[in-house]
Amino acid sequence: MALDALQIIAYLYGREVAERLKGRDVKIERNKAGRIRYVYVDGKLAFVLRNNDGYLLPTIYGAQFLDRRVAISGEVSEYIKQGRNVPAKYVRDVSRQARPNGEVAVTDPAGAVIAVGRLLYSRKELTLGRGYAVKVRESLKGASAQRTEPPQ
């Protein structure tokens, strides 16, 4: 049942994200041990389980449902789409829900999700403009080879 996946998503990313997913077609693919492996939303892969700690990581499609966002300037958006990390000096805004070492959606100036990754600094530390702000895990370039339908 998809209810346990929605509960985990609500715990990790907030109740609002789980509420957005409630009206959609949510399917779960489990591994041999019965643990959640993949979560599909409307037939597209949205979340993947990280094996070492059981954390559900969003894909590019799943990041569209997140409230935790980092907006970047337009001059680096093409580089980020290619899978490069986000330099702190090009970050224009960070949502209040974003936490250091948490998963965030990286958005271009138009608000479209172009990458998903781990936020390395807090909002206050980002004002220094040094180093990388987001370690990109998946970008639009790598999202084309993504699984769409769960196996039957």
Side-chain angles (χ1 to χ4, degrees):
M1 179 174 246
L3 185 61
D4 54 347
L6 289 178
Q7 290 172 342
I8 293 170
I9 290 169
Y11 175 74
L12 295 174
Y13 299 108
R15 192 177 315 149
E16 300 82 18
V17 177
E19 291 295 324
R20 276 186 220 120
L21 295 175
K22 266 194 178 165
R24 298 179 176 266
D25 180 29
V26 178
K27 292 192 171 135
I28 299 172
E29 183 181 331
R30 296 181 182 274
N31 62 13
K32 291 179 184 176
R35 292 181 57 186
I36 296 171
R37 181 72 183 129
Y38 301 111
V39 177
Y40 295 89
V41 176
D42 297 332
K44 296 180 182 175
L45 184 62
F47 294 91
V48 178
L49 180 93
R50 185 168 53 196
N51 284 333
N52 61 348
D53 61 0
Y55 201 87
L56 281 175
L57 299 172
T59 62
I60 289 284
Y61 179 70
Q64 297 174 8
F65 301 109
L66 298 182
D67 293 328
R68 301 170 182 178
R69 294 179 178 250
V70 173
I72 60 170
S73 63
E75 56 194 287
V76 294
S77 62
E78 288 302 315
Y79 295 106
I80 306 306
K81 286 179 186 177
Q82 294 174 8
R84 297 201 171 107
N85 295 331
V86 179
K89 70 180 182 178
Y90 295 107
V91 171
R92 295 293 164 242
D93 188 36
V94 179
S95 65
R96 290 195 127 346
Q97 297 89 348
R99 301 287 181 255
N101 289 321
E103 293 293 312
V104 293
V106 179
T107 60
D108 63 3
V113 176
I114 59 172
V116 62
R118 183 170 45 100
L119 183 66
L120 299 175
Y121 298 121
S122 67
R123 290 171 53 106
K124 192 169 189 170
E125 291 171 326
L126 285 174
T127 59
L128 298 173
R130 303 256 185 212
Y132 288 106
V134 179
K135 181 174 170 104
V136 172
R137 187 174 38 77
E138 183 181 3
S139 64
L140 283 180
K141 180 182 176 188
S144 59
Q146 195 179 86
R147 295 174 51 160
T148 53
E149 280 295 317
Q152 302 298 328

